[in-house]
Structures are given as structure tokens and as C-alpha cells.
Amino acid sequence: PFPYNPPYVPYENPCGAYVTHFDGNKQYSQYLNFEGVDSCFYVWLNGELVGYSQVSHSTSEFNITDKVKSGDNILCVLVLKWCDGSYLEDQDKFRMSGIFRDVYILSRPEKHIKDYRIETDMNGKINVSVDTDTSVSFILENEKGQIYSGSSSEIVVEKPVLWNAEYPYLYTLYLVTEDEVIRERVGFREITIDDGVFLFNGKPVKMKGVNRHDSDPVTGYTISREQAKKDLMLMKRHNINALRTSHYSNAP
């Protein structure tokens, strides 16, 4: 859509300017999230530069704790149509620019979980690794409300119900700190390839898959839960059992 001269883009680069106001709170850690902006953007808060981001279909998060103030705050965003990432995102899709997914501020306690990773195996073992500056406890619950507990980072479920497409059974894991609770849905399953055969929970499965973009003839890149479900139902009716989210994360 523009002359091929990487990493450069045209000097005349259309942009959109967005301005909004919100009430701030200084009591918590504040994280400003953009779940989807095409193609790149700059962010200012109360006249101060917060940062820059690109990778249009992934979440960009900014720590604005030291820039937000109690009372009225002014948020300004400048979105550019083209950036050097436009060469890398040259995919089989329509090109549409702007803010197309949710924008929100996430308020967290001063001491909170920064990152975590959950790993399961077929024997019912759950391992949780956490990056945090506060103490964390773990609670696991099945669909009947039965509670499992374990060591500080490991829980074992005897004879776990395995997740599969026909019976997508999920457990609920709670990561509990003094000031907040994070809830995750957890399943037990195993995917392997043995001598070129794709195995799901040890059984061979034939993959009948297609690519799918978050795209709609009316709303463009902006996709609701109902729209996504309509796509999935249509695919299932045509015996499609695998989905490639080409080439990026779908809407959360």
C-alpha cells in the first residue's frame, strides 16, 4: 500500500489524535492497557510522555503510577497509520488503522503478583511459578466445588479429569495474596507428535484447520464475544476442529 523501502515509511503518514479525561486515584499502582492499536502510537498523560508502542494486535501496557494524579487527568494518544512494523505485518488481511480494542486502567495493590506461569501434566500435577514481592497461596477447585491444596507451588489431583474437545473440563485455580485474588481456569491435557502422528492425550487426531482473522465487514478489527462465537459455530458445522489465529493474538 506504500512504496517498498524498508524500514522507511512515507513522510506523509496519516494519524489520528485521541483525547479523553478520567478521574485518577493515587492509592494504587496504575497500569494503562491498550489491547489493540494499529499500527503504532504515542501516549501522553497530563502533558508528559508516557511511551510509544507497536505490534498492533497485542496488548501494550504502560506503568502510569508516577504520572497519574488524584482528580481530573488528561490522556492523549497519537496513532500513526504506518510504521516499520507495517512491513512485518504485511499479511492476508485488510489494513485498518486506529484504536480497535479496549483501553482501560488496571489498578493493583502496591505489592502484587507481577507474573506467573502454570504448568500441568497428565498425572494431575500442577506447578505454579510466580514473580512477586508478596506472599501467595494457591487454591484449586473442581466443577463440583471440591478443594485441593498442596505445597507452596505444587498441587496434585489424583485421577484428574482430562480436557478434550468433546468434554472441555476445567478446574479453577486461585492465586491469593493479602490484597487481591487472581482466578485462572486450568485443564489437564497432553499434546505430542510421535513419528509424524499428532497425538492428543495419547490418541491420534486428524487436524482439519483454517486461518482466522479478527475481522468483520461492519466492525472491522473490533470483534465482540458474540461475533467470535458465531465464527466458531460456523466452522464447527463444517467439521473444522483446529484454528490458526493468523498471525497474532485474537481479542482477549
Side-chain angles (χ1 to χ4, degrees):
F2 54 84
Y4 181 79
N5 185 28
Y8 304 102
V9 295
Y11 180 76
E12 293 189 5
N13 193 354
C15 60
Y18 301 79
V19 179
T20 190
H21 293 250
F22 67 91
D23 288 329
N25 191 327
K26 294 289 289 182
Q27 292 182 319
Y28 304 96
S29 298
Q30 306 279 311
Y31 297 94
L32 175 63
N33 280 264
F34 294 80
E35 290 187 344
V37 183
D38 193 312
S39 69
C40 67
F41 63 106
Y42 293 88
V43 181
W44 292 266
L45 181 59
N46 300 321
E48 288 189 67
L49 179 66
V50 172
Y52 165 89
S53 186
Q54 60 187 60
V55 183
S56 62
H57 290 262
S58 293
T59 298
S60 300
E61 185 177 74
F62 302 91
N63 188 340
I64 59 171
T65 305
D66 61 341
K67 292 182 173 58
V68 72
K69 61 183 182 181
S70 297
D72 185 56
N73 289 260
I74 303 176
L75 177 65
C76 301
V77 181
L78 186 70
V79 179
L80 280 72
K81 187 174 181 68
W82 310 119
C83 68
D84 57 358
S86 300
Y87 290 100
L88 303 175
E89 297 187 353
D90 185 17
Q91 301 148 358
D92 49 343
K93 64 174 182 176
F94 292 111
R95 300 263 195 167
M96 290 173 274
S97 302
I99 300 173
F100 59 91
R101 288 181 183 161
D102 286 351
V103 180
Y104 57 89
I105 293 174
L106 186 63
S107 296
R108 307 281 308 276
E110 183 178 350
K111 292 185 176 181
H112 56 263
I113 295 172
K114 298 181 177 66
D115 195 12
Y116 59 93
R117 180 183 179 88
I118 302 169
E119 294 180 287
T120 66
D121 64 25
M122 294 274 282
N123 298 317
K125 185 183 293 183
I126 299 177
N127 278 302
V128 187
S129 54
V130 182
D131 177 10
T132 182
D133 51 10
T134 186
S135 59
V136 184
S137 59
F138 307 96
I139 300 171
L140 184 71
E141 185 179 29
N142 67 13
E143 290 186 356
K144 295 180 180 179
Q146 294 173 313
I147 302 296
Y148 303 85
S149 60
S151 67
S152 58
S153 61
E154 182 180 289
I155 299 174
V156 177
V157 178
E158 293 187 10
K159 298 180 180 179
V161 180
L162 300 183
W163 188 99
N164 59 66
E166 290 72 30
Y167 187 42
Y169 191 98
L170 293 176
Y171 295 78
T172 303
L173 179 67
Y174 299 94
L175 289 73
V176 183
T177 71
E178 184 178 354
D179 296 308
E180 69 176 356
V181 176
I182 296 175
R183 176 179 177 268
E184 276 284 0
R185 303 284 274 162
V186 178
F188 294 95
R189 69 176 186 185
E190 185 177 69
I191 296 173
T192 56
I193 297 176
D194 184 12
D195 196 23
V197 178
F198 180 88
L199 301 176
F200 190 97
N201 292 344
K203 298 179 180 179
V205 175
K206 291 193 181 298
M207 307 293 283
K208 302 172 184 177
V210 294
N211 289 346
R212 178 188 171 275
H213 286 279
D214 268 350
S215 184
D216 185 272
V218 176
T219 61
Y221 289 160
T222 303
I223 298 296
S224 68
R225 186 181 183 90
E226 289 72 27
Q227 287 168 295
K229 186 175 180 179
K230 182 180 177 181
D231 275 1
L232 295 173
M233 296 291 284
L234 179 66
M235 293 175 183
K236 197 67 175 174
R237 290 190 183 108
H238 288 79
N239 298 314
I240 292 166
N241 68 357
L243 179 62
R244 178 171 179 255
T245 57
S246 51
H247 305 259
Y248 47 77
S249 306
N250 279 192

